[in-house]
Amino acid sequence: EEAPDSVPVVRHVFSAKIPRYNWPFTYAAMPAAGVNAAYPFAARLANVEDSVTLAFTVDADGAIAAESIELVSANYRDFVTSVLDALSRTRYHPAHLGDCAVATRMRQRFLFKVPE
């Protein structure tokens, strides 16, 4: 606006400064062994396949913050339950900003194919 004091108060949202770092950043990564989500027995009997996509925060210690888990997509509840159970036991490799481990947001898809 040319005259900032003439801007209605309703249009004043907020002002924020976002820091920029010149340090190298590495994203969080799955453990080498992967996430061991069990194939649900009922789904195996019904010959059902599915994928579950979740968004979650990996804390600086590699644990998943349970309150941060967001279901993005899935079709069957049993697969979601299996993935959530596996995530509670899994430790990720945390993200790093320089030499410091930091929390970061991830989005991951878990694919279930009928075992042979």
Side-chain angles (χ1 to χ4, degrees), residues 33-58:
V35 176
N36 190 17
Y39 201 95
F41 184 71
R44 185 182 308 230
L45 289 177
N47 223 18
V48 175
E49 296 181 342
D50 193 16
S51 67
V52 176
T53 304
L54 298 175
F56 50 87
T57 300
V58 178

Side-chain angles (χ1 to χ4, degrees), residues 42-90:
R44 185 182 308 230
L45 289 177
N47 223 18
V48 175
E49 296 181 342
D50 193 16
S51 67
V52 176
T53 304
L54 298 175
F56 50 87
T57 300
V58 178
D59 287 333
D61 65 354
I64 305 298
E67 66 278 0
S68 73
I69 297 174
E70 174 187 351
L71 178 62
V72 176
S73 70
N75 294 315
Y76 296 98
R77 183 184 328 203
D78 290 347
F79 291 109
V80 176
T81 303
S82 178
V83 170
L84 292 176
D85 182 49
L87 283 178
S88 70
R89 294 177 276 120
T90 303

